[in-house]
Amino acid sequence: MKPFTTLQGLVAPLDRANVDTDAIIPKQFLKSIKRSGFGPNAFDEWRYLDRGEPDRDCSGRPLNADFVLNRPRYQGASILLTRENFGCGSSREHAPWALEDYGFRAIIASSFADIFFNNCFKNGVLPIVLAADVVERLFVETEAREGYQLTIDLGAQTVTTPAGEAIRFSVDGESKHRLFNGLDDIGLTLLHTDKIKAYEVRRKAEARWLFQ
Amino acid sequence: MARTLYDKLWDAHVVHQEDNGTALIYVDRHLVHEVTSPQAFEGLKLAGRRLWQAKTVLATPDHNVPTTDRAAGIVDPVSRTQVETLDANCVEFGLNEFRMDDSRQGIVHVIGPEQGFTLPGATLVCGDSHTSTHGAFAALAFGIGTSEVEQVLATQCLWQKKSKAMLVKVDGELPAGLTAKDVALAIIGRIGTAGGNGYAVEFGGAAIRALSMEGRMTLCNMAIEAGARAGMVAADEKTIAYVEGRPQAPKGDDWQQAVACWRTLHSDEGAPFDAVIEFDAALIKPQVTWGTSPEMVLSVEDRVPNPIDAPTAVKKADWERALAYMGLTAGTPIAEIAIDKAFIGSCTNSRIEDLRQAAAVARWAVAQGRRVASNVKLAIVVPGSGLVKSQAEAEGLDKDFLAAGFEWREPGCSMCLAMNADRLEPGERCASTSNRNFEGRQGQGGRTHLVSPAMAAAAAVFGHFVDIRGLMNEARQ
């Protein structure tokens, strides 16, 4: 996994609450057996005017000019600013895969759905929870100024505005450590192999039927 | 100290506890399907990793499978590749798989309980958010992403932080004709789709105890639509009776010991919850969603809401967008909304009890000389598994549906998410027993209204939503 330490990047504002993972990556693209290449189909139904199909080249498809990510000023954005309960619905990890492949490394919202939030950390994407009034203010600033950038420092747990205001965010220590160092969960788990085996012995004695 | 059911399930599965609150949790059961597993198997192969406990896995293809004649195989080459990839991975890693042509194949969340693979007191995961379904058995069950699917295959464990505990207490008696689906939608309507974020939810109270296991599965299935990763119900005699005799249920001495253990799977008197929400079942009415989120739900007696009445500016914008997408006008009575298609199925409502409720409406229609309304282009019934299908056929339910003009299909996820050929076309409106009414969920541009099985069947017969309670009164006279 790619480590995440600091990021300075252009912010794109997606002003909707409850953005679900079906919207982030529609079901037809879940038929892929690969982990990469979902970026061109991120937000497919909002982004294009026609129906997207797997394995279809997106470069010539008609764009929906009204969709915020299609506006020229937000091209190259690496930070997504959005509203409450982002990533709700399906557990599909294709959603963070698509966002990461599109170019987003951080997502700021007032809240996230649990499974999506967890999936982000497995893919080098940092989900940041900020208070709703702070999110509202960032929306105003992003829309007011073209080229609006934020600087995110995971080590210091801050989001810094162009005016130099550092907004602190919280992140669970374990998730921060793994994302900061790009650590592999499976490798970390296998360090506890003895404990897993000891658990199995103990558990078999009290609930044998679970092991048959 | 008094513990909640969630505390008991959690405590029994902690392998290792870090100082910062993160714990390594042991996973007893793992359901695998074709959509969220190929990248996990590929990861194992690339790293040269083996499975920790292959026998804890049950696999089946469900999302991509056709619900029409299967003799022809899967026509869409991309879908076919995904199912064939699952078959090949199961052979390579030695996993138990019910293939597409197996009579036991079906939706993962239907076959787990049906096989006795889902057991009380167990931890169960699947790369699918509706894994919360299995909490109906007093199990700790939740959906995971593909990276975690790979981790469970390789280590049998997951890194987790304990959630907060919420009790949703539903007392009183549910009126005749109402179901667990109406209870679930009414709860989501009150607490919202983010209401359960960060919580494991236990459903309790007299109305929950009165539900069948099928009803409890429907309710726990929808816990994720309230934002809760896990939903659960305490074990009781119904739980034990449901599990007894299933192919993978414990036998002999093990059965006696297991039952004794399962009888402790309830929250202790006075156990502390971080949040408690109470409902009176007697006040719940037949629910119909009107928008593009399960929290956008009203009773069949209501009218489509006006965005000027929305509680916040963000919600007002949501409602306006939802009305535009759904092609609805504020003030329209819900009962006047006409549908184009009806879908009875999905991991929420495709079990035998669901099909019985819908078939009762079909039978009533035929007795009245009615059938699926002329404006309804398609009304399909998709059983949750091959075994549910056989049971329904043994009871003659298929004949009731066919006589009333419904189509009787092969088992799978089908039009809940339209990964196979069953889908809505742009602008089509559907009465659906599934779990999500998101934009495009049942097909790009499709408009979904979530309802109970009987309400979907009644909407198919009348061509628009009707109050199932009135129809039941008529049926009794």
Side-chain angles (χ1 to χ4, degrees), chain A residues 8-25:
Chain A
Q8 182 178 5
L10 185 68
V11 183
L14 181 62
D15 194 358
R16 287 187 182 219
N18 298 314
V19 172
D20 58 76
T21 53
D22 274 88
I24 297 171
I25 183 81

Side-chain angles (χ1 to χ4, degrees), chain B residues 59-291:
Chain B
T60 199
D62 55 5
H63 286 60
N64 278 279
V65 298
T67 58
T68 47
D69 181 19
R70 291 201 174 150
I74 302 176
V75 176
D76 175 356
V78 194
S79 287
R80 189 170 63 234
T81 299
Q82 199 165 50
V83 171
E84 287 171 354
T85 303
L86 177 68
D87 293 347
N89 282 325
C90 288
V91 170
E92 185 174 344
F93 287 92
L95 301 180
N96 185 18
E97 184 197 8
F98 296 165
R99 290 199 180 192
M100 192 172 84
D101 57 0
D102 191 306
S103 62
R104 300 165 296 175
Q105 178 269 342
I107 304 172
V108 280
H109 307 310
V110 175
I111 70 170
E114 190 170 76
Q115 292 296 320
F117 177 81
T118 304
L119 292 176
T123 42
L124 184 150
V125 300
C126 175
D128 191 287
S129 60
H130 291 110
T131 308
S132 56
T133 306
H134 308 265
F137 291 83
L140 178 57
F142 52 90
I144 56 177
T146 298
S147 295
E148 291 184 320
V149 168
E150 184 178 339
Q151 189 188 334
V152 174
L153 290 172
T155 71
Q156 214 59 42
C157 291
L158 278 176
W159 292 99
Q160 292 281 299
K161 283 204 87 154
K162 198 173 175 189
S163 303
K164 290 179 286 182
M166 178 188 286
L167 175 64
V168 174
K169 196 160 177 277
V170 190
D171 280 314
E173 195 180 337
L174 201 57
L178 274 81
T179 67
K181 184 64 165 290
D182 300 294
V183 177
L185 287 170
I187 292 169
I188 296 163
R190 164 108 67 95
I191 73 173
T193 51
N197 278 6
Y199 288 97
V201 172
E202 179 178 344
F203 297 100
I208 306 302
R209 286 194 296 277
L211 289 175
S212 65
M213 289 312 294
E214 283 86 351
R216 295 174 190 182
M217 284 187 254
T218 299
L219 186 62
C220 289
N221 173 278
M222 296 286 287
I224 184 68
E225 308 314 331
R229 277 182 93 167
M232 61 194 78
V233 175
D236 61 10
E237 296 311 310
K238 283 182 193 170
T239 319
I240 293 164
Y242 184 98
V243 176
E244 188 168 16
R246 304 244 163 213
Q248 298 190 34
K251 307 275 186 297
D253 283 353
D254 280 352
W255 173 256
Q256 298 306 331
Q257 282 187 36
V259 167
C261 171
W262 297 345
R263 291 214 162 100
T264 67
L265 296 173
H266 53 79
S267 290
D268 297 329
E269 190 70 35
F273 284 91
D274 299 287
V276 178
I277 297 172
E278 298 188 24
F279 285 82
D280 181 353
L283 301 180
I284 296 174
K285 295 170 180 174
Q287 303 284 298
V288 183
T289 64
W290 58 267

Side-chain angles (χ1 to χ4, degrees), chain B residues 178 181-190 283-307 309-311 319 322-323 326 328-335 337 437 448-452 455 465-469:
Chain B
L178 274 81
K181 184 64 165 290
D182 300 294
V183 177
L185 287 170
I187 292 169
I188 296 163
R190 164 108 67 95
L283 301 180
I284 296 174
K285 295 170 180 174
Q287 303 284 298
V288 183
T289 64
W290 58 267
T292 53
S293 164
E295 70 183 25
M296 294 174 175
V297 63
L298 288 167
S299 94
V300 69
E301 295 175 349
D302 293 322
R303 290 168 183 267
V304 173
N306 193 325
D309 298 323
W319 288 17
L323 290 185
M326 294 296 290
L328 291 174
T329 309
T332 305
I334 299 283
I337 299 172
N437 51 348
T448 303
H449 296 270
L450 303 176
V451 287
S452 72
M455 285 286 286
F465 293 106
V466 291
D467 190 334
I468 190 69
R469 296 169 301 181

Side-chain angles (χ1 to χ4, degrees), chain A residues 15-18 20 22 27 30-35 38 45-46 50-52 54-55 83-85 88-94 97 111-115 118-119 122-123 172-174 178 184-190 192-193 195-197 199-200 202-203 208-212, chain B residues 12-16 20 22 24 26 28-29 35 38-39 49 52-53 55 64 76 78-79 82 121 127-129 143-148 150-151 155 157 159 161 193-194 197-198 229 250 254 257-258 261-262 295 314 318 321 417-419 423 425 436 438-441 443-444:
Chain A
D15 194 358
R16 287 187 182 219
N18 298 314
D20 58 76
D22 274 88
K27 83 278 289 168
L30 272 51
K31 297 180 187 184
S32 168
I33 57 172
K34 297 195 246 61
R35 201 183 258 267
F38 295 102
E45 291 183 6
W46 294 343
D50 61 350
R51 173 135 79 187
D55 295 332
R83 299 283 185 183
E84 70 209 46
N85 201 28
C88 63
S90 158
S91 62
R92 59 189 70 168
E93 198 163 319
H94 310 67
W97 294 340
S111 66
F112 291 89
D114 289 346
I115 302 177
N118 207 32
N119 283 339
K122 315 284 182 199
N123 291 283
D172 137 64
E174 190 65 30
R178 290 177 193 192
D184 164 26
D185 270 3
I186 299 181
L188 286 174
T189 308
L190 290 172
H192 297 283
T193 294
K195 284 186 176 164
I196 303 173
K197 289 188 170 161
Y199 172 87
E200 288 180 327
R202 191 168 77 236
R203 185 71 173 152
R208 191 173 52 202
W209 59 90
L210 287 171
F211 293 84
Q212 285 164 354
Chain B
H13 290 89
V14 175
V15 170
H16 166 74
N20 58 22
T22 304
L24 195 59
Y26 193 83
D28 298 312
R29 296 284 184 268
V35 180
Q39 299 87 351
R49 284 176 172 136
W52 188 277
Q53 287 265 22
K55 65 185 180 188
N64 278 279
D76 175 356
V78 194
S79 287
Q82 199 165 50
D128 191 287
S129 60
I144 56 177
T146 298
S147 295
E148 291 184 320
E150 184 178 339
Q151 189 188 334
T155 71
C157 291
W159 292 99
K161 283 204 87 154
T193 51
N197 278 6
R229 277 182 93 167
D254 280 352
Q257 282 187 36
C261 171
W262 297 345
E295 70 183 25
V314 171
D318 275 0
R321 215 164 15 229
L417 87 169
M419 274 191 80
R423 68 169 70 139
E425 296 304 322
R436 292 189 174 131
F438 299 156
E439 287 185 24
R441 171 78 180 183
Q444 189 167 6

Side-chain angles (χ1 to χ4, degrees), chain A residues 88-155:
Chain A
C88 63
S90 158
S91 62
R92 59 189 70 168
E93 198 163 319
H94 310 67
W97 294 340
L99 294 170
E100 199 271 343
D101 196 49
Y102 180 92
F104 291 120
R105 290 298 312 282
I107 306 165
I108 299 174
S110 55
S111 66
F112 291 89
D114 289 346
I115 302 177
F116 174 83
F117 187 77
N118 207 32
N119 283 339
C120 283
F121 282 101
K122 315 284 182 199
N123 291 283
V125 175
L126 175 62
I128 297 174
V129 179
L130 295 179
D133 59 328
V134 177
V135 169
E136 175 59 31
R137 184 153 56 84
L138 293 179
F139 264 101
V140 172
E141 292 180 13
T142 303
E143 279 155 18
R145 193 197 311 176
E146 192 160 340
Y148 185 85
Q149 296 204 350
L150 289 170
T151 303
I152 295 166
D153 185 333
L154 177 57

